[in-house]
Amino acid sequence: MGDTGRRSSSEQCPRRDRQDPTGVPVMPLLPPPSPARRLALYALVVCVLSVAAAVVSFVQGSWLGIVWVLLAGLTSNMTWYYVKRDRAAAGPGKSVTG
């Protein structure tokens, strides 16, 4: 609704890294999400759905499946681009396009 002057919940409870019983910090299972990784995941989902739509379209005898195949190719390339972009952001000095 508005600013009540209170601290947010993240300030009240700071996040602590997990530790094993010996006190050594434990690495998280997954790295933190990045915008490039999220876009790669969205593009992958669209790619899989467009392949499924192409299969259904061709099975029904429609040539509209060609459009779905083209969309699958585009989104596949987008997925690889964003994966490479995320990896390049993790290691500075590398080109996005390889």
Side-chain angles (χ1 to χ4, degrees):
M1 298 256 281
D3 187 7
T4 60
R6 295 185 190 171
R7 286 192 272 169
S8 67
S9 62
S10 63
E11 292 174 353
Q12 291 175 356
C13 302
R15 183 173 175 254
R16 296 184 182 155
D17 292 330
R18 296 182 305 173
Q19 295 181 349
D20 67 0
T22 61
V24 177
V26 176
M27 298 247 340
L29 296 176
L30 296 173
S34 67
R37 183 173 298 152
R38 189 171 25 254
L39 287 172
L41 181 63
Y42 291 156
L44 181 64
V45 168
V46 171
C47 182
V48 169
L49 289 175
S50 61
V51 167
V55 168
V56 169
S57 185
F58 283 129
V59 165
Q60 292 180 349
S62 173
W63 287 97
L64 187 63
I66 294 172
V67 175
W68 291 114
V69 169
L70 293 174
L71 182 64
L74 175 70
T75 56
S76 171
N77 288 340
M78 288 174 60
T79 300
W80 285 115
Y81 172 77
Y82 285 122
V83 166
K84 288 174 100 175
R85 184 176 178 181
D86 186 49
R87 287 183 184 162
K94 296 181 181 175
S95 171
V96 174
T97 57

